[in-house]
């Protein structure tokens, strides 16, 4: 599977015990997408968390790393200056962690909640936030924004167009698109493709965000991956499944599709 490894890096989310993570890494060579620095308590004790997690990464024999940033209670498009300040501080802390751990990417949620947040100026506020956040950042850590409850790609696409830092990109989560949007995931891929730099891979039945194997659910994962492969832009992929078996099954399917590209 050399061709696939030359074309794209595949990661899997740190949702399993460290021993199982190590076993999967030994079998597949995948990198890790860590959720350790998405937790506020861990960010409050950042230095201790970094020391402890570096040891865990060594134990798991991790060679490539991506971090998932914080998202609970945060809002980069808020009207409230105090909330914006806290959001910026949490994002900065996770960026520090990414730099120290030499992570390749840092993933943030859009944090958009339909029918709750006022839509007026939404894209502009999001772009202003990220322009400020990125103004002193280099290109060693790529910043991407992921869809969650978003009903369509429109807000994310418009914000990405407005953000001046061209290193910024989008993360397509096909499972979230299937659960929280009436637009099929393949349409999300087609509309977002100029901005996509990272992809979260898992499957569900469209009713619950169950994070199942790519083989189990009604998402046309093969069609989506084939669509993404037509775009020349470099992309990375993270498998987000809840069991070792589902992770390996999804990795095998993903490799087969990407190798054909």
């Amino acid at each position: 599977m050399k061709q696939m490894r030359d074309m794209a890096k595949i990661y899997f989310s740190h949702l399993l015990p460290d021993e199982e993570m190590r076993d999967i890494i030994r079998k597949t060579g995948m990198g890790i997408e860590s959720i350790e620095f998405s937790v506020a308590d861990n960010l409050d004790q950042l230095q201790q968390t970094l020391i402890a997690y570096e040891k865990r990464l060594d134990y798991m024999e991790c060679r490539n790393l991506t971090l998932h940033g914080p998202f609970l209670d945060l809002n980069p498009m808020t009207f409230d200056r105090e909330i914006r300040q806290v959001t910026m501080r949490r994002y900065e802390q996770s960026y520090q962690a990414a730099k120290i751990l030499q992570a390749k990417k840092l993933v943030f949620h859009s944090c958009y909640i339909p029918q709750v947040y006022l839509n007026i100026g939404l894209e502009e506020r999001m772009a202003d936030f990220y322009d400020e956040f990125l103004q002193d950042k280099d290109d060693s850590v790529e910043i991407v924004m992921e869809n969650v409850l978003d009903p369509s790609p429109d807000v994310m696409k418009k914000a990405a167009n407005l953000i001046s830092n061209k290193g910024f990109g989008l993360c397509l989560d096909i499972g979230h698109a299937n659960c929280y949007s009436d637009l099929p995931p393949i349409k999300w891929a087609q509309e977002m493709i100029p901005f996509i730099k990272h992809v979260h891979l898992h499957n569900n039945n469209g009713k619950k965000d169950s994070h199942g194997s790519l083989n189990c659910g009604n998402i046309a994962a093969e069609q989506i991956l084939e669509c993404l492969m037509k775009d020349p832009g470099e992309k990375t992929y993270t498998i987000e499944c809840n069991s070792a078996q589902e992770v390996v099954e999804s990795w095998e399917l993903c490799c087969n599709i990407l190798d054909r590209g």
Side-chain angles (χ1 to χ4, degrees), residues 10-17 21 24 30-36 53 66 68 200-201 211 237-243 247:
I10 300 184
Y11 299 77
F12 68 116
S13 188
H14 194 171
L15 301 173
L16 306 174
M21 298 289 292
I24 292 173
M30 282 191 287
I32 290 175
E33 182 166 314
S34 172
I35 59 173
E36 198 77 4
Y53 199 65
T66 289
H68 199 303
H200 281 170
L201 299 171
H211 284 261
Y237 301 82
T238 293
I239 295 167
E240 291 191 320
C241 297
N242 294 316
S243 73
V247 168

Side-chain angles (χ1 to χ4, degrees), residues 14-23 56 59-60 242:
H14 194 171
L15 301 173
L16 306 174
D18 292 359
E19 185 174 356
E20 290 187 42
M21 298 289 292
R22 182 182 63 179
D23 290 343
R56 295 173 66 191
Y59 170 78
M60 292 182 287
N242 294 316

Side-chain angles (χ1 to χ4, degrees), residues 90-131:
R90 290 306 195 193
Y91 279 29
E92 289 284 354
Q93 289 172 321
S94 62
Y95 181 81
Q96 290 174 31
K99 291 285 286 185
I100 291 169
L101 296 174
Q102 298 183 332
K104 305 293 194 303
K105 280 185 170 71
L106 178 56
V107 182
F108 294 114
H109 284 179
S110 71
C111 299
Y112 176 49
I113 303 178
Q115 300 178 353
V116 173
Y117 293 154
L118 184 62
N119 288 351
I120 298 173
L122 195 68
E123 299 90 350
E124 289 80 6
R125 294 196 307 278
M126 186 180 287
D128 286 345
F129 177 92
Y130 275 104
D131 277 338

Side-chain angles (χ1 to χ4, degrees), residues 45-62:
Q45 307 173 69
L46 186 57
Q47 293 307 313
Q48 298 95 310
T49 303
L50 282 165
I51 292 169
Y53 199 65
E54 281 184 307
K55 293 178 181 177
R56 295 173 66 191
L57 290 171
D58 287 341
Y59 170 78
M60 292 182 287
E61 302 176 9
C62 175

